[in-house]
Amino acid sequence: MLHIVVCVKQVPDSREIRIDPKTNTLIRQGVPSIVNFYDLHGLEEALKIKDEHGARVTVVTMGPPPAEKALKECISLGADEAVLVTDRGFAGADTLATSYVIAQTIEKCGKEWGPVDIVFCGKQTLDGDTGQVGPGVACRLDLEQLTYVGKVVQVDPNARRVTVQRFLEDGIEVVETKMPVLITALKELNKVRRASLPGMIRAARYKPIVWTTADFPELDRSKIGLKGSPTIVAKTWVPEVKPANTKMLEGETPEALAAALADQLWAGELAQKLGL
Amino acid sequence: MSEEAKAKVDEMPDWSAYRGVLIVVEQRAGVAKSVSWQLLGEGRKLADKLETDLLALVMGDGVGHLAEEAAYYGADKVYLCDAPELREYRTRPYSRVCLKLIEEAKPEIVLFGATGTGRDLAGAIATHLPTGLTADTTALDVEAPPSRLLLASRPAFSEKMMATILCKQYRPQMATARAGVFQALPRDTSRRAEIIRIDNPMKEAEIAARVIDFIGDSGKVNLEEAEVIVAGGRGLGGPEPFQMLKELADALGGKVGASRAAVDAGWINHDHQVGQTGHTVRPKLYFAIGISGAVQHTVGMSNSECIVAINKDPDAPIFQFAHYGIVGDLFKIVPAITAEVKKRRGALVHE
Ligand SMILES: Cc1cc2nc3c(=O)[nH]c(=O)nc-3n(C[C@H](O)[C@H](O)[C@H](O)COP(=O)(O)OP(=O)(O)OC[C@H]3O[C@@H](n4cnc5c(N)ncnc54)[C@H](O)[C@@H]3O)c2cc1C
Ligand SMILES: Cc1cc2nc3c(=O)[nH]c(=O)nc-3n(C[C@H](O)[C@H](O)[C@H](O)COP(=O)(O)OP(=O)(O)OC[C@H]3O[C@@H](n4cnc5c(N)ncnc54)[C@H](O)[C@@H]3O)c2cc1C
């Protein structure tokens, strides 16, 4: 049977974050935590593959204990098992350190429940928003990597091949490769199902599996958390609105205003540059 | 910053073996992405400040001409890997070539376009090296020697904040950078660069991935490349007035853009959206018509060379960004401008 691991992250809904105008800092209070929605599309695709071919779906997250809530949501949708990787030592991780821990976790999932064939990640998160964890995990586990996937065309468990459509800026690329593979999910991939009643009941009773650094005897401590992170956020600031240098055009009629604008545009080099 | 983070910033190893700023040029079917030339423009500034070379890496099949182009856009030295296995982008062969070059040439900074391909590639390479990778930067600078640190700044928290990210303990310092933010140098065909051919270490039999098809959609508006954009917002009130904008755009040889409000209302499709969740553009001339100027919109267009705002509300925030402001009813003003533009262009033609 296929073993599919879905990586999910609990994130503050950054669309709800506001800036305190007095202190120029983020107001995080009252901002809801949600499952990064791209990850839910990854989970949905895993569940679709499970419906079609039969598969074991394991969900993993690295985060503080409240991230358990995100895992329960995944269980209610139909995931078989969920793992919370949590430890103070993991805090402050950038994408390099995050991908190290996630990769170790997936490897351990493979040892516990059978080799992993497909890993789903989101295209990016709503908070860190880098889209780098997926490629990082693929690189560490030496998996084939298919990013920005908007459609899974075919999964062939016997031939062990996967065909997808990657949605890029300039068009759609159809790519086929072999398993094991890591796929990063776009929202175009599918429509996320609703939790079923039995799913919700199971989730209410479900206790996620919790792993800490102690569960990874081989873990290289120099590669985790802040210590294992090459990037440092040195400074944050609120971008200033450029000082107004606006020339307000005057005119009694629309025609006069249009002429005033044209005078300005044709006076400088702009019209020349544009070949007007 | 925590004590631990501070301590980390303060000590820095000796990186004197790493020199040069490397731009990884992205292409499809032998046509370069404009972000590559924009990055060469920005890279030129960084390299000059560091008193070092600007390097470019061109990978593909039949892409020798792009090596020369890279020189025209500012590179001092171009590494060229031209091989049939590199005809289409695939992570493994491309990352192998990059890794080999980075290990040999030891650049201190490596930049990629923050495109699907650029991010795919950069994410794999940074992990392999390993080194830090700053995502989706919109501002780059360097500290002058001796520190030579890359100051890579990126929007965070839905563009509400900016963060400057450093990588002190590892080399190279890597970043992906957003298209449309930086400016390319004028193409100068008299510029020459040393072109160094490098081998592709990976044979076809070792590559599992196959690109079966590419469905380019040519009907798509390419706002990032447009020199003139006439954008409309909720003030248009419906889909029909976009025709009026199209007429002005046509008169100026431009393209039509839109705010998210207009896209969400279903008046025009998402390809036209400018802003945080749409395109970042830097045309020479940008019209914001019936657009209020929310930050999620302005992050996508504030780098335009000349911005004209038309809004009936004199206090609309868009006027803080505009070079020219017109307060009034767009339904009256836009047709008048179109007529005026046609008149002036016609006049020039007849002269
Ligand atoms: C302001 C700011 C800027 C930052 N900029 C950078 C930067 O430029 N470079 C950098 O290396 N780090 C950066 N970081 C740190 C980065 O946000 C964290 O490393 C974060 O934990 C992982 O990156 P991400 O959220 O961007 O994930 P992404 O790479 O965007 O996530 C992609 C997918 O990976 C999976 N995934 C990610 N995190 C987890 C997790 N904890 N558990 C399970 N699955 C997961 C999910 O499926 C997710 O959809 C920044 C942090 C801040 C606060
Ligand atoms: C996470 C997130 C991402 C987002 N991403 C984007 C993005 O990529 N791009 C984007 O644009 N927005 C984005 N937004 C939405 C953004 O916050 C604003 O809601 C949006 O830009 C408003 O669009 P608008 O200016 O067209 O509409 P409004 O704010 O409603 O402004 C309409 C303007 O038209 C003027 N007007 C009305 N009638 C006339 C008339 N007859 N003549 C002249 N003027 C008239 C009004 O005075 C008003 O200023 C995003 C929001 C979020 C939360």
Side-chain angles (χ1 to χ4, degrees), chain B residues 12-276:
Chain B
M12 219 172 114
D14 172 21
W15 292 119
S16 51
Y18 286 79
R19 286 295 179 262
V21 177
L22 174 68
I23 308 299
V24 177
V25 173
E26 184 182 336
Q27 56 84 27
R28 182 184 297 281
V31 181
K33 299 276 138 112
S34 54
V35 64
S36 306
W37 307 148
Q38 292 163 2
L39 286 183
L40 278 173
E42 187 67 14
R44 187 71 263 167
K45 284 190 218 156
L46 304 179
D48 291 347
K49 205 161 161 187
L50 292 172
E51 296 168 17
T52 187
D53 282 344
L54 178 62
L55 318 171
L57 170 59
V58 173
M59 293 174 282
D61 183 20
V63 289
H65 61 287
L66 293 182
E68 271 142 44
E69 285 291 323
Y72 301 162
Y73 284 105
D76 299 311
K77 204 188 259 185
V78 184
Y79 297 93
L80 170 65
C81 187
D82 209 340
E85 297 81 13
L86 302 177
R87 193 160 67 89
E88 276 117 3
Y89 172 77
R90 289 174 292 177
T91 312
R92 280 183 195 253
Y94 269 71
S95 55
R96 278 281 283 280
V97 174
C98 274
L99 281 166
K100 196 169 155 233
L101 176 69
I102 290 171
E103 271 149 27
E104 281 162 20
K106 294 197 172 34
E108 58 201 297
I109 294 171
V110 186
L111 304 176
F112 305 76
T115 58
T117 300
R119 290 167 179 237
D120 185 284
L121 183 59
I125 292 169
T127 314
H128 198 97
L129 280 167
T131 191
L133 174 60
T134 304
D136 199 30
T137 52
T138 57
L140 294 166
D141 199 359
V142 283
E143 276 181 7
S147 112
R148 311 178 74 91
L149 259 184
L150 178 68
L151 312 171
S153 302
R154 59 171 302 221
F157 304 104
S158 291
E159 321 262 341
K160 292 179 188 104
M161 272 200 161
M162 288 288 290
T164 302
I165 293 177
L166 309 179
C167 171
K168 287 207 158 190
Q169 303 281 331
Y170 296 73
R171 284 297 174 276
Q173 308 167 85
M174 301 213 330
T176 60
R178 200 179 282 185
V181 175
F182 301 106
Q183 189 139 28
L185 295 169
R187 181 171 180 269
D188 176 357
T189 52
S190 69
R191 278 197 57 112
R192 292 285 172 273
E194 183 188 353
I195 296 177
I196 302 158
R197 290 190 168 265
I198 55 175
D199 290 334
N200 171 30
M202 213 168 174
K203 294 294 149 263
E204 189 59 42
E206 303 167 83
I207 309 168
R210 302 267 170 278
V211 177
I212 303 170
D213 198 3
F214 181 73
I215 311 157
D217 77 11
S218 49
K220 221 167 154 180
V221 273
N222 200 348
L223 284 184
E224 265 127 26
E225 314 272 334
E227 298 217 308
V228 177
I229 295 173
V230 180
R234 199 185 333 248
L236 264 60
E240 296 82 18
F242 272 100
Q243 188 52 38
M244 182 174 82
L245 266 49
K246 173 100 178 25
E247 278 166 38
L248 175 55
D250 286 346
L252 291 162
K255 296 276 191 317
V256 172
S259 73
R260 171 148 154 194
V263 171
D264 284 352
W267 301 341
I268 190 164
N269 76 41
H270 180 262
D271 287 355
H272 296 267
Q273 185 177 315
V274 172
Q276 180 195 325

Side-chain angles (χ1 to χ4, degrees), chain A residues 14-15 18, chain B residues 158 160 232-237 258-262 264 267 270 273-279 289-299 310-313 316-318 328-331:
Chain A
S14 61
R15 294 166 297 187
R18 298 272 169 273
Chain B
S158 291
K160 292 179 188 104
R234 199 185 333 248
L236 264 60
S259 73
R260 171 148 154 194
D264 284 352
W267 301 341
H270 180 262
Q273 185 177 315
V274 172
Q276 180 195 325
T277 42
H279 298 275
I289 302 174
I291 293 177
S292 60
V295 59
Q296 294 91 351
H297 186 80
T298 55
V299 289
I310 304 170
N311 201 302
K312 66 177 182 190
D313 173 8
I318 191 69
D329 182 2
L330 67 93
F331 293 96

